[in-house]
Amino acid sequence: MSSENTANPTYPPSSDLVANAHANEATYDAMYEASISDPEAFWGEHGKRIDWIKPFTKVKNTSFEPGNVSIKWFEDGTLNVAANCIDRHLKTRGDKTAIIFEPDNPEEPAQHITYKELHRRVCRMSNILEDMGVRKGDRVVLYLPMIPEAAYAMLACARIGAIHSIVFAGFSPDALSARINGSDAKVLITADYAPRGGRQTPLKSNADAALLHTKDSVKCLVVKRTGGQTTWVDGRDFDYNEMALEADEFHTPAEMNAEDPLFILYTSGSTGQPKGVVHCSGGYLVFASMTHEYVFDYKEDDIFWCTADVGWVTGHSYIVYGPLANGATTLMFEGVPTYPDASRFWQVCEKHKVNQFYTAPTALRALMGQGNSFVESCDLSSLRILGTVGEPINPEAWNWYNDVVGGGRCPIVDTWWQTETGGHLLTPLPGAHATKPGSAMKPFFGVQTVVLDPHSGEEIHTYPCEGVLCLKDSWPSQMRTVWGDHERFEKTYFSDYKGYYFAGDGCKRDEDGDYWITGRVDDVINVSGHRMGTAEVESALVAHAKVAEAAVVGYPHDIKGQGIYCYVTLMNGVEPSDELTKELRTWVRTEIGPIASPDLIQWAPGLPKTRSGKIMRRILRKIAEDDFGSLGDTSTLAEPGVVDDLIENRMNKG
Ligand code: 6R9
């Protein structure tokens, strides 16, 4: 129900929800206040929500000081993350379903994996990995479809104390080998094929191609998902399904320090190649499980569904670690929202009586375009909470989600966070806040968001205001470092605004103190919720023999949020053609993966540059956005004429 202010409508939770929620407005205010005024006491208490082998005595030891950035939480405690996600539930929840697996093909039966079964599977996988030589601290790369074995593999690594690094199955062999080499991984776990939307990605053959560019010693464990044909290298390739028949179903979890790395996850930034974000065991699990419980108002018998892929951080925190640490039933979906048709999401909600549904705005926009009948033909009465993540949600999509999917009954939690943050930082809590379409609302407990003036770097204390979004202090699931490059960690996140963590996003804060994310302020674009550095696409383009120079920017796209717009200068003597456009598109898909496929390629005889040779992306962005009227100051351009040419030949967005 909306309040009277139609210019800025708010949607308060129902009284029933408020009465039964983990937090109402007063609880939120009190807990937030406590978490900021005495973080030691607050997290000292909430750190106990997980099981420790040796309890921590120190809570927080963090510094954002330039040159000395160091983040440690619960640093003298020991634990095992997999034991927290499995073993500790066996007594009370052994026969409860931990994972519901819904395959790509709706004709194929769903699987219900109980906590007891999860324990057996993970122990077997742990023993297999140890037999292959994996030890505490070793790195294991996962390149898997959305199948239960992906969760087993993550948890098996955690059980041994190995560090997993998941590579999204949509990435190319080149991206995969770069990530295997980047973390010097011992083992790659993959599958024969990944069924998705009725098609099959040949993961094993991609893995074969990637392994040509890694150390010979890297071993490959292969899960048979379809049983389809693959090539096999004896001595290097290991058959998971066969080994699992023999493997022991007991395994003693390793005792890990709170600050031992749990996983590496590569993500894009504004410069250079993707960086390996490192998350550690204790603080990450405390925060992932706590946000999962409060933000989704999770209760014991709920069926929780996050539609993300485990290749992204959302899948890590809210398909696997958060829900399982809470003893929840988490749904893993192998398919896509539009296969066999645009009702698939809603059919799965009906079939498994999903209570919390968490997805991305891009999926909502695509489904909204298909019409309401796909939703209305399904019984969605089980839904209680809806969530979104990955990019700003436009009010149209928000309203559609609220009215058509949620029937006006379900609060929408618009959760703003990042790979680097490990868990939700800004979000409404369902029983505490009257939501506003497009606003990520309030900081979670212990999260000190501030808005800085981008020019002065000073905190803005007025309401309403606009600036860059920063964090004033640490929270338990903050990334600890960039794998192998702590200097890059400091430089990327702590050097622009001294003493603050800079997220890379701009935001507004309204008169009620609610936050509205306005998008990235750096050269990172967000395509269908996938984060991409424009520099990565540029370096893929210039690696092509016919390309002399390339500049890549984002432009508004109805479904994807942002599309990829490429300005390409060809080598002398090379003629532009439609064939070449296709060739470059395929090239980028092969270099990075299908998610980086250019939407529009414009031939640019020259690029607007400053006299010192810097490409003026601001101008290129404006042209791509079709906003020629406000090109701003072009007087510093070396050759102002190139801009007119670019405007004249701007691609039609169609
Ligand atoms: C979890 C995840 C992070 C970037 C982030 C921001 C954008 C994520 C958002 C959102 C507006 C939201 N983003 N959630 N923007 N509202 N609710 O997406 O991680 O892939 O690292 O992307 O995504 O720009 O900086 P990641």
Side-chain angles (χ1 to χ4, degrees):
M1 213 204 322
S2 136
S3 74
E4 279 120 64
N5 180 354
T6 45
N8 226 342
T10 60
Y11 294 77
S14 68
S15 50
D16 191 39
L17 208 132
V18 174
N20 294 303
H22 289 306
N24 59 29
E25 197 174 358
T27 342
Y28 168 82
D29 289 347
M31 282 176 79
Y32 184 73
E33 164 59 26
S35 72
I36 302 305
S37 60
D38 193 351
E40 292 272 339
F42 184 86
W43 291 112
E45 185 53 35
H46 290 283
K48 293 184 203 147
R49 60 180 294 117
I50 62 169
D51 283 0
W52 296 86
I53 300 172
K54 181 167 141 307
F56 55 86
T57 64
K58 296 182 187 154
V59 175
K60 178 176 186 285
N61 179 5
T62 65
S63 161
F64 286 4
E65 191 191 313
N68 187 30
V69 177
S70 162
I71 293 140
K72 293 188 178 126
W73 285 87
F74 314 113
E75 62 184 296
D76 61 348
T78 65
L79 76 163
N80 184 279
V81 168
N84 267 287
C85 291
I86 311 169
D87 304 39
R88 71 161 169 161
H89 306 308
L90 291 178
K91 260 200 198 134
T92 51
R93 304 187 178 103
D95 295 317
K96 176 176 174 175
T97 299
I99 299 176
I100 299 175
F101 171 60
E102 173 66 29
D104 183 51
N105 176 358
E107 307 287 312
E108 203 182 305
Q111 291 175 32
H112 288 76
I113 298 130
T114 63
Y115 273 94
K116 270 190 202 152
E117 182 64 14
L118 180 64
H119 181 254
R120 276 195 287 273
R121 303 281 193 140
V122 171
C123 286
R124 287 194 191 127
M125 181 87 93
S126 306
N127 287 316
I128 293 172
L129 290 175
E130 283 188 343
D131 285 350
M132 291 173 73
V134 177
R135 299 287 174 266
K136 204 171 179 166
D138 286 345
R139 273 78 58 206
V140 176
V141 168
L142 276 54
Y143 185 62
L144 285 164
M146 280 290 293
I147 53 178
E149 286 78 2
Y152 306 159
M154 293 164 78
L155 293 162
C157 289
R159 200 169 181 91
I160 299 171
I163 304 166
H164 61 71
S165 169
I166 308 190
V167 178
F168 174 58
F171 276 122
S172 69
D174 281 353
L176 176 58
S177 60
R179 284 156 177 75
I180 296 171
N181 295 333
S183 66
D184 196 16
K186 250 191 187 166
V187 169
L188 166 65
I189 308 180
T190 189
D192 48 5
Y193 290 86
R196 233 175 143 246
R199 289 200 292 238
Q200 299 199 358
T201 309
L203 289 189
K204 174 61 165 59
S205 92
N206 286 354
D208 288 336
L211 290 169
L212 293 175
H213 304 285
T214 65
K215 278 190 195 161
D216 290 342
S217 58
V218 180
K219 292 176 181 158
C220 185
L221 181 64
V222 185
V223 178
K224 301 266 173 72
R225 168 63 184 107
T226 66
Q229 238 190 340
T230 57
T231 50
W232 205 258
V233 179
D234 283 329
R236 185 198 72 182
D237 297 344
F238 293 74
D239 183 331
Y240 165 79
N241 300 61
E242 218 163 73
M243 291 171 88
L245 296 175
E246 308 278 309
D248 197 336
E249 55 183 51
F250 291 98
H251 180 276
T252 310
E255 179 170 355
M256 306 300 292
N257 182 269
E259 284 298 316
D260 282 334
L262 176 64
F263 64 84
I264 304 170
L265 186 56
Y266 280 82
T267 193
S268 299
S270 52
T271 55
Q273 289 304 307
K275 46 191 173 294
V277 167
V278 176
H279 280 292
C280 292
S281 308
Y284 171 79
L285 198 65
V286 167
F287 201 79
S289 70
M290 189 164 176
T291 45
H292 172 259
E293 181 176 353
Y294 278 88
V295 174
F296 300 110
D297 196 36
Y298 165 74
K299 309 271 173 52
E300 181 66 38
D301 294 320
D302 287 343
I303 309 288
F304 179 81
W305 183 17
C306 162
T307 71
D309 190 283
V310 289
W312 310 115
V313 72
T314 308
H316 284 64
S317 301
Y318 300 110
I319 294 177
V320 178
Y321 290 117
L324 295 179
N326 290 338
T329 299
T330 182
L331 194 148
M332 272 182 97
F333 175 49
E334 190 182 36
V336 297
T338 48
Y339 176 80
D341 65 38
S343 70
R344 187 66 193 280
F345 268 1
W346 322 122
Q347 286 186 357
V348 174
C349 285
E350 174 181 315
K351 177 172 170 188
H352 297 293
K353 303 202 165 31
V354 169
N355 302 109
Q356 289 96 349
F357 177 74
Y358 188 34
T359 197
T362 185
L364 295 172
R365 286 192 297 265
L367 294 173
M368 182 169 75
Q370 305 284 317
N372 296 354
S373 62
F374 289 104
V375 190
E376 286 161 357
S377 59
C378 298
D379 174 4
L380 297 180
S381 55
S382 61
L383 289 176
R384 204 172 78 236
I385 309 285
L386 302 173
T388 79
V389 58
E391 51 179 318
I393 181 164
N394 48 313
E396 297 73 28
W398 196 101
N399 286 323
W400 184 78
Y401 202 21
N402 184 61
D403 301 342
V404 181
V405 178
R409 297 174 292 110
C410 309
I412 297 178
V413 289
D414 176 355
T415 60
W416 173 84
W417 60 296
Q418 310 177 293
T419 307
E420 293 87 337
T421 72
H424 306 143
L425 294 195
L426 284 173
T427 176
L429 295 188
H433 300 123
T435 54
K436 301 175 182 174
S439 169
M441 301 295 293
K442 299 278 188 208
F444 190 74
F445 307 132
V447 174
Q448 294 195 52
T449 34
V450 291
V451 184
L452 301 191
D453 177 316
H455 305 294
S456 68
E458 299 290 325
E459 278 181 41
I460 308 177
H461 296 286
T462 50
Y463 300 77
C465 66
E466 181 164 4
V468 292
L469 181 57
C470 284
L471 279 302
K472 205 182 165 93
D473 201 355
S474 183
W475 61 99
S477 65
Q478 182 171 23
M479 77 182 279
R480 302 302 197 247
T481 191
V482 169
W483 180 257
D485 196 348
H486 195 70
E487 215 180 297
R488 189 169 176 204
F489 174 55
E490 294 212 7
K491 192 164 176 295
T492 309
Y493 304 104
F494 301 92
S495 68
D496 289 351
Y497 303 100
K498 304 265 182 290
Y500 298 91
Y501 168 86
F502 173 44
D505 283 295
C507 75
K508 293 181 186 173
R509 190 174 51 202
D510 67 19
E511 39 287 301
D512 304 322
D514 297 326
Y515 286 83
W516 303 70
I517 306 296
T518 51
R520 301 287 303 198
V521 294
D522 54 10
D523 289 320
V524 171
I525 51 179
N526 195 327
V527 182
S528 301
H530 299 316
R531 193 173 144 176
M532 215 165 308
T534 52
E536 275 170 77
V537 185
E538 285 165 8
S539 74
L541 283 167
V542 295
H544 190 282
K546 292 178 185 161
V547 174
E549 199 165 32
V552 173
V553 297
Y555 73 94
H557 187 289
D558 285 349
I559 306 281
K560 299 179 182 184
Q562 281 189 298
I564 305 179
Y565 196 113
C566 310
Y567 298 90
V568 171
T569 310
L570 294 170
M571 290 289 189
N572 250 342
V574 177
E575 284 302 313
S577 66
D578 290 349
E579 282 68 49
L580 189 52
T581 301
K582 278 189 206 132
E583 189 178 323
L584 290 182
R585 220 173 252 150
T586 313
W587 173 262
V588 176
R589 289 170 70 96
T590 329
E591 289 275 304
I592 305 176
I595 55 169
S597 188
D599 292 285
L600 296 171
I601 298 178
Q602 173 171 355
W603 308 119
L607 292 170
K609 290 182 187 168
T610 60
R611 290 189 190 98
S612 62
K614 266 201 165 140
I615 295 177
M616 293 191 69
R617 289 161 190 290
R618 177 175 54 79
I619 292 176
L620 293 177
R621 250 180 250 131
K622 291 280 180 203
I623 298 176
E625 284 165 10
D626 214 351
D627 186 11
F628 312 143
S630 56
L631 287 186
D633 183 10
T634 53
S635 63
T636 54
L637 282 175
E639 287 178 78
V642 300
V643 173
D644 298 332
D645 181 87
L646 291 178
I647 292 178
E648 209 166 291
N649 295 299
R650 190 184 152 279
M651 297 301 292
N652 195 335
K653 286 188 275 181

